[in-house]
Amino acid sequence: DVQNEQSIWYWSKYVECMDMDKDGESETILVFGTSGQNNFDDGRVFIEIYYKGNLISIEHQNGVKDLERITLINPAFYKLPSAIQDKVKYKMKQMVSEKQTIFPNNWEQSMAMKKTEIREN
């Protein structure tokens, strides 16, 4: 619920600008998020990947209850070079381990199947 969000900020430790796919051009990953009434537990996370002039995004809504969590992935994400996809997934794992987000339990398997909407089973 956007009305209950408390703040929004860039998560600078996940921001990256480098040539991840070794093509001579830098790719940029920006991550920002919000906190809600329950801090990160009901906030949102936005991952923006800038690749060859295009914006490709992953949006995630945390939730206190399992069924409240949803991750939306732009289909173009799966067309990115594997080095960039792997870097984004690594950052997502970091966010989970640092308790900044709660992705649905099946998020890694769902991304392996190239799903664009991931919910808790």
Side-chain angles (χ1 to χ4, degrees):
D1 185 354
V2 175
Q3 296 174 355
N4 293 320
E5 286 180 321
Q6 308 297 315
S7 62
I8 185 167
W9 69 98
Y10 281 98
W11 295 0
S12 58
K13 67 179 168 181
Y14 302 117
V15 171
E16 191 150 354
C17 184
M18 65 180 288
D19 184 6
M20 292 173 240
D21 63 351
K22 309 292 187 223
D23 69 351
E25 294 182 36
S26 291
E27 293 80 38
T28 301
I29 300 172
L30 295 177
V31 179
F32 58 100
T34 68
S35 62
Q37 290 180 324
N38 294 298
N39 200 11
F40 293 114
D41 290 351
D42 56 0
R44 294 184 293 159
V45 176
F46 302 89
I47 302 169
E48 295 182 341
I49 304 114
Y50 294 90
Y51 179 72
K52 297 195 182 293
N54 296 306
L55 168 63
I56 299 161
S57 63
I58 296 175
E59 299 178 21
H60 173 69
Q61 172 65 59
N62 276 334
V64 177
K65 298 177 183 172
D66 291 347
L67 297 178
E68 295 173 337
R69 298 182 200 121
I70 181 171
T71 305
L72 302 173
I73 302 167
N74 183 315
F77 174 80
Y78 298 113
K79 295 177 182 173
L80 290 170
S82 60
I84 299 170
Q85 289 184 46
D86 292 346
K87 180 66 82 168
V88 170
K89 291 174 191 176
Y90 175 77
K91 290 176 184 295
M92 292 170 73
K93 288 178 188 178
Q94 285 182 300
M95 291 175 220
V96 170
S97 69
E98 296 193 22
K99 302 188 184 333
Q100 291 180 300
T101 192
I102 309 166
F103 291 112
N105 285 326
N106 60 342
W107 73 270
E108 291 179 86
Q109 296 86 352
S110 294
M111 287 184 85
M113 296 182 333
K114 300 184 179 185
K115 293 195 175 185
T116 57
E117 183 175 307
I118 305 170
R119 295 179 182 267
E120 202 71 46
N121 286 340

